[in-house]
DNA sequence: AGGAATTTGTGCGTATGTATC
DNA sequence: AGATACATACGCACAAATTCC
């Protein structure tokens, strides 16, 4: 019985800490369960009423959490049948904000850290966060092993004194969540063209200064403050940007 | 008292026709009110409880409709203050699915119809709709009067026998809604590069065959069927694509 | 084939918390 | 400080879709 376990966790992460709305806590609890693999792809959740009881909450509140998961693409809700985990969506959700795919479709995204430094924010950046400094993370991004993009992410300095480069590894957002308790909730992208930056490694397909696809992004945390600013240059001959709108 | 009026409209569009969920009907009712200008930008709605009474529904149901409007960017909900119309978002919402802006930001989008024809769907298209035929709409899109993109939209043939070109004019989606009762609910975009099609008019900045930004899109109606397939070529030197993710 | 049981969807009502005015 | 108004949370009844016998 999985629920007994849930119940415990919720008790802990509930009264104890953040005083975030209960439905948010539930949503995040379930996300953690999925991410960690304790809830597997395709697995069916217990009926809402049972779950609500074990989680010591009401059906309505649980439903709001489940709706949130659905929106995130990590859950299928089927009337008359049940609620089904979509860990694929979850695996994607690790990269959920990564919006590049191979032109032929798909492609497993991986990342290779080039550098992590704490620096003054450049003056010409849009405003984000409260600190005058930021963590600059440069990465080489690959799709199915092929270098597809270079990426420079600026995380506001207030979220940590120092970032631990090895810990970041593949999933930056997972690191944010687990180590910094920072939940990226939404982002705005702007896609155009720009010149490949001078620091792009030789392994990247395009030469420094040549034109490439360009993504500019601002990300908000769940408390609706701008947390992150990032820029991505991608090789348009092998990758393209995609988005779901509503 | 605006609500009395609401009440009437809801009565009509409620029991009478579609049997869509009440909260969807309410949401659409409000959208129509905003679009038509009867609800103005910045205007404050009556308190939820009053509104619920006048609309002859419950607060919970109304709240679900309002949440929908919020998601669509047409409403600001401020705790302790009130609900405020954002007709800008609505004006945008006419083009809500239009995701191009000037590189310097913004730009008023307009459209000029090049051709409207009913044709066999090309075989190499992704599947959408049930008809073997589709309406092919070609448009020149401008931002602040500057030609920024050419666009080819294929609407499935089942939604109308024939489209009336003059009626379409600026807002295709408004036409869908008002004349065809087709509500585009969501879309998936894929952004890359492609060659400008041969039919692009001379007024378009780029020459036929030269590379341009390229958006491929599939759109779903609110009953979750694929209704539309479209392709857009845009001049990357003056426009860029933007998206809000979550 | 069909009906009963199960499960989510919709809608209503209410009580309490919290931000705004 | 008090009133107003949205946010959260709980619970119930019935509808609609699915599943199972």
């Amino acid at each position: 019985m999985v629920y007994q376990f849930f119940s415990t966790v919720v008790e802990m992460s509930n009264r104890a800490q953040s005083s975030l709305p209960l439905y948010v806590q539930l949503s995040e609890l379930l996300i953690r369960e999925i991410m960690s693999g304790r809830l597997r792809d395709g697995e069916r959740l217990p009926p809402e009423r049972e779950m609500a009881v074990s989680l010591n909450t009401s059906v309505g509140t649980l439903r709001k959490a489940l709706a949130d998961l659905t929106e995130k693409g990590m859950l299928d809700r089927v009337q008359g049948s049940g609620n089904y985990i979509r860990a694929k969506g979850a695996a994607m959700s690790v990269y959920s904000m990564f919006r590049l795919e191979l032109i032929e479709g798909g492609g497993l995204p991986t990342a290779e850290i080039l550098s992590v430094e704490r620096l003054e924010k450049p003056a010409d950046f849009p405003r984000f966060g409260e600190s005058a400094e930021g963590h600059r993370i440069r990465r080489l991004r690959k799709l199915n092993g092929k270098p597809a993009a270079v990426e420079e992410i600026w995380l506001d300095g207030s979220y940590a004194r120092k970032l631990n480069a090895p810990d970041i590894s593949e999933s930056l957002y997972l690191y944010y969540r687990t180590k910094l308790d920072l939940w990226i909730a939404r982002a705005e992208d702007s896609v155009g063209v720009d010149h490949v930056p001078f620091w792009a490694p030789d392994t990247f397909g395009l030469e420094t200064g040549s034109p490439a696809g360009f993504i500019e992004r601002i990300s908000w945390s769940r408390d609706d403050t701008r947390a992150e600013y990032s820029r991505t240059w991608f090789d348009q001959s092998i990758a393209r940007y995609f988005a779901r709108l509503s």
Side-chain angles (χ1 to χ4, degrees), chain A:
Chain A
M1 298 295 100
V2 197
Y3 337 144
Q4 201 53 41
F5 174 67
F6 280 166
S7 165
T8 317
V9 179
V10 165
E11 295 293 342
M12 295 200 312
S13 70
N14 193 345
R15 333 292 180 201
Q17 44 170 327
S18 52
S19 91
L20 281 167
L22 182 50
Y23 71 87
V24 175
Q25 297 181 42
L26 291 173
S27 163
E28 295 184 353
L29 164 65
L30 288 168
I31 290 179
R32 280 194 299 273
E33 293 297 308
I34 296 170
M35 302 286 241
S36 67
R38 283 192 289 273
L39 287 176
R40 299 193 195 166
D41 189 58
E43 184 167 341
R44 179 179 154 186
L45 292 178
E48 293 176 347
R49 279 159 187 81
E50 282 182 36
M51 247 181 116
V53 172
S54 0
L55 289 169
N56 194 25
T57 183
S58 73
V59 179
T61 301
L62 175 60
R63 283 178 64 83
K64 209 166 174 185
L66 295 178
D68 187 58
L69 285 195
T70 305
E71 208 177 339
K72 287 187 165 61
M74 301 170 69
L75 188 70
D76 273 337
R77 315 196 59 191
V78 186
Q79 181 176 169
S81 178
N83 292 310
Y84 301 88
I85 299 293
R86 296 209 320 192
K88 275 183 305 184
M92 279 305 295
S93 192
V94 174
Y95 312 96
S96 77
M97 296 290 175
F98 189 63
R99 290 299 185 215
L100 286 179
E101 65 175 15
L102 292 173
I103 286 181
E104 60 267 31
L108 176 70
T110 55
E112 181 182 310
I113 303 264
L114 299 174
S115 71
V116 180
E117 292 176 86
R118 189 188 174 98
L119 299 167
E120 286 268 317
K121 289 178 186 169
D124 60 332
F125 275 16
R127 224 181 305 282
F128 68 100
E130 305 188 347
S131 171
E133 298 185 336
H135 302 283
R136 189 191 69 188
I137 304 159
R138 286 177 169 169
R139 300 198 292 182
L140 175 63
R141 309 241 33 181
K142 299 178 180 177
L143 288 170
N144 281 353
K146 267 194 290 190
V150 288
E151 182 175 65
E152 182 175 283
I153 300 170
W154 287 78
L155 172 67
D156 182 55
S158 63
Y159 292 99
R161 267 207 312 283
K162 191 170 182 311
L163 296 189
N164 192 355
D167 282 5
I168 296 177
S169 69
E170 290 304 324
S171 173
L172 186 57
Y173 285 174
L174 186 56
Y175 176 83
Y176 286 174
R177 285 214 268 258
T178 54
K179 306 289 184 185
L180 308 183
D181 193 37
L182 166 62
W183 292 67
I184 299 296
R186 62 191 179 90
E188 269 185 37
D189 283 358
S190 173
V191 185
V193 286
D194 191 30
H195 303 293
V196 174
F198 72 91
W199 52 265
D202 292 338
T203 51
F204 186 55
L206 300 178
E207 277 182 26
T208 287
S210 62
F214 179 59
I215 307 169
E216 208 173 3
R217 161 175 297 184
I218 296 217
S219 310
W220 283 260
S221 77
R222 66 183 169 191
D223 64 4
D224 216 48
T225 58
R226 296 180 176 202
E228 200 192 52
Y229 171 66
S230 79
R231 304 182 295 184
T232 303
W233 294 261
F234 65 96
D235 186 340
Q236 297 205 346
S237 66
I238 64 173
R240 62 181 180 181
Y241 179 94
F242 68 94
R244 269 190 302 278
L245 311 175
S246 57

